[in-house]
Each structure stands twice: as structure tokens, then as C-alpha cells.
């Protein structure tokens, strides 16, 4: 991927800088160790989404700073309160319980509605997150625009 010219968007290669930029109260509750793990999961999830889109000759999605913050905040909320629900103004895929990126992508691609979000030609931006709750359950969020 090439770097974006807009300050509102970042690419995976720029995400390390963004990972240190934690402007919301909810995000700052994640430890540095958790942050490093989350970055790797987010990067792998973005890569898998774009691999799926490439299979259909669709444009790759660009990581949006604002949507990423929104996805992280909602995912953290779900994992903290162990709640599973949609929220916000974005088209959204959520999942709970899958242990890794491959499993969650298989779940989403096997569901007509989730697959439609991932393969929607009109979407150009994405934000995504994955957090583990205190009982070990993984929560996943993808938001599209």
C-alpha cells in the first residue's frame, strides 16, 4: 500500500505511529503489551479483508484514523462489559468468540450480510479492532465507510 495524502487516513505501515496516539479515555485503558498484540491482529485482519476484496477485483480498503478509533472504542466496550451489539453510524461487522483472524474471516465470509459489507464496492475506508475480555473471549469489530 502507498501512504495516504490525507491526514485523516493511515496505512498499515503508518499504524505504529497511530497505535501510540490514543486520544480517548477508553483506549488508554489498554496496556502497552496489549497494544502491541492488538496492532498485529488489526494488521492481519486488514490484510485478510483486502485479500478477499482482491479476489473480486475490488479496490483495497484504506484504514481510516477516525473509523479505527471508533471500532477500537466499541470493541473495547464490548469486551469490557461482555456485551455483543451493534452501535454507531457505520456499516459494521461484529463477532465474538473466534480465536483468530482466520476464524473470524471465515465466519464473516460465510454470512451473507457480513460478506456484503466486506465486498461492498462503495466502501473505501475501514476501521477494525479485536480485544480479549477478562474471561478470554475475543471480540471483533469492522466498520466501513
Amino acid at each position: 500500500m502507498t501512504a495516504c495524502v490525507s491526514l485523516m487516513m493511515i496505512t498499515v505501515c503508518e499504524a505504529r505511529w497511530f497505535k501510540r496516539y490514543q486520544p480517548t479515555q477508553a483506549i488508554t485503558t489498554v496496556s502497552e503489551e496489549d497494544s502491541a498484540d492488538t496492532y498485529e491482529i488489526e494488521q492481519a485482519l486488514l490484510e485478510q479483508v483486502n485479500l478477499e476484496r482482491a479476489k473480486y477485483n475490488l479496490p483495497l480498503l484504506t484504514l481510516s484514523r477516525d473509523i479505527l478509533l471508533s471500532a477500537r472504542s466499541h470493541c473495547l466496550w464490548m469486551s469490557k462489559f461482555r456485551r455483543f451489539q451493534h452501535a454507531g453510524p457505520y456499516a459494521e461487522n461484529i463477532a465474538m468468540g473466534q480465536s483468530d483472524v482466520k476464524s473470524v474471516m471465515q465466519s464473516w465470509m460465510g454470512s451473507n450480510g457480513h460478506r456484503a459489507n466486506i465486498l461492498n464496492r462503495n466502501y473505501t475506508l475501514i476501521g477494525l479492532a479485536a480485544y480479549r475480555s477478562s474471561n478470554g473471549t475475543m471480540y471483533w469489530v469492522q466498520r466501513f465507510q
Side-chain angles (χ1 to χ4, degrees), residues 7 9 40 47 50 63 86-87 105 110 132:
L7 294 176
M9 291 181 271
E40 297 300 326
E47 289 170 0
N50 280 330
L63 195 59
H86 288 281
M105 283 300 296
R132 187 178 310 277

Side-chain angles (χ1 to χ4, degrees), residues 6 13 19 33 37 41 62 71 73 94 99 121 128:
S6 171
C13 62
K19 192 62 188 169
E33 183 177 310
D37 292 340
I41 291 170
T62 301
S73 180
I94 60 174
S99 60
R121 178 175 293 281
L128 34 77

Side-chain angles (χ1 to χ4, degrees), residues 75-96:
C75 195
L76 185 62
W77 177 86
M78 288 195 307
S79 68
K80 181 178 179 180
F81 294 103
R82 298 184 196 155
R83 300 281 307 266
F84 185 66
Q85 68 185 49
H86 288 281
Y90 299 104
E92 180 180 70
N93 289 345
I94 60 174
M96 179 182 80

Side-chain angles (χ1 to χ4, degrees), residues 2-50:
T2 59
C4 298
V5 293
S6 171
L7 294 176
M8 295 303 289
M9 291 181 271
I10 59 173
T11 62
V12 171
C13 62
E14 295 165 319
R16 286 197 189 278
W17 165 82
F18 180 74
K19 192 62 188 169
R20 292 189 301 268
Y21 178 69
Q22 300 178 0
T24 66
Q25 188 66 24
I27 300 299
T28 60
T29 64
V30 179
S31 72
E32 282 301 315
E33 183 177 310
D34 290 339
S35 296
D37 292 340
T38 302
Y39 167 74
E40 297 300 326
I41 291 170
E42 291 169 352
Q43 179 180 358
L45 189 53
L46 178 60
E47 289 170 0
Q48 289 302 306
V49 167
N50 280 330

Side-chain angles (χ1 to χ4, degrees), residues 51-114:
L51 282 173
E52 289 295 334
R53 290 177 66 85
K55 290 178 188 177
Y56 296 90
N57 294 317
L58 296 170
L60 302 182
L61 296 175
T62 301
L63 195 59
S64 161
R65 177 184 166 273
D66 290 340
I67 302 171
L68 180 62
L69 280 177
S70 176
R72 283 180 176 168
S73 180
H74 184 57
C75 195
L76 185 62
W77 177 86
M78 288 195 307
S79 68
K80 181 178 179 180
F81 294 103
R82 298 184 196 155
R83 300 281 307 266
F84 185 66
Q85 68 185 49
H86 288 281
Y90 299 104
E92 180 180 70
N93 289 345
I94 60 174
M96 179 182 80
Q98 294 84 349
S99 60
D100 56 35
V101 170
K102 181 179 178 181
S103 298
V104 77
M105 283 300 296
Q106 285 175 338
S107 294
W108 282 330
M109 293 305 289
S111 161
N112 290 338
H114 297 103

